[in-house]
Amino acid sequence: MVLQYEWQSFQGALTDDNRDYCGIAERFNATLYAVIDGSTRWHQGGELANELACKLVDEFMDLDKHVTKQSVLAIFQQFHRDLRLQYPAGSASYIVLVAIDGCQVMV
């Protein structure tokens, strides 16, 4: 089955920039889908959302083994340690879905 991805986003009315980001990464046994919305209430929300989207896709693709629930959770644990120090005033909402081996889904 061939999948096609389409991303649509609408800029909010509170900021001059769009703070919505997405990330999609396909590996041999798993696919990652992420939608990240940087907060408009905090000045580092857009930067945090952008960095999270980029790092999430990069780290997912760099996994040197078969993707598992534990390997994906380890990525998030590392992000939490690193990005909260880099963007102390940043805030973002996100949803991440990982489909593993075509049947196991993790949200």
Side-chain angles (χ1 to χ4, degrees):
M1 171 174 39
V2 177
L3 296 176
Q4 293 182 332
Y5 307 108
E6 183 176 326
W7 165 249
Q8 295 182 12
S9 176
F10 299 96
Q11 180 176 334
L14 298 178
T15 62
D16 292 333
D17 60 334
N18 189 346
R19 298 179 179 192
D20 300 337
Y21 294 88
C22 81
I24 298 169
E26 294 181 330
R27 291 177 47 100
F28 70 94
N29 76 308
T31 305
L32 174 134
Y33 311 90
V35 176
I36 305 159
D37 181 16
S39 173
T40 57
R41 294 182 181 230
W42 304 100
H43 71 277
Q44 291 182 325
E47 294 91 343
L48 172 62
N50 181 37
E51 186 77 12
L52 181 57
C54 292
K55 284 188 174 283
L56 184 58
V57 168
D58 290 346
E59 292 294 324
F60 185 80
M61 292 304 293
D62 285 346
L63 288 173
D64 61 354
K65 56 187 173 196
H66 198 78
V67 175
T68 64
K69 179 180 176 180
Q70 291 77 19
S71 62
V72 174
L73 290 175
I75 291 171
F76 276 94
Q77 290 168 344
Q78 185 63 44
F79 285 164
H80 187 264
R81 285 190 295 268
D82 296 345
L83 295 180
R84 70 185 177 95
L85 298 174
Q86 189 175 350
Y87 300 100
S91 177
S93 301
Y94 59 87
I95 184 166
V96 177
L97 182 138
V98 178
I100 301 173
D101 293 326
C103 61
Q104 184 182 35
V105 176
M106 184 175 128
V107 178

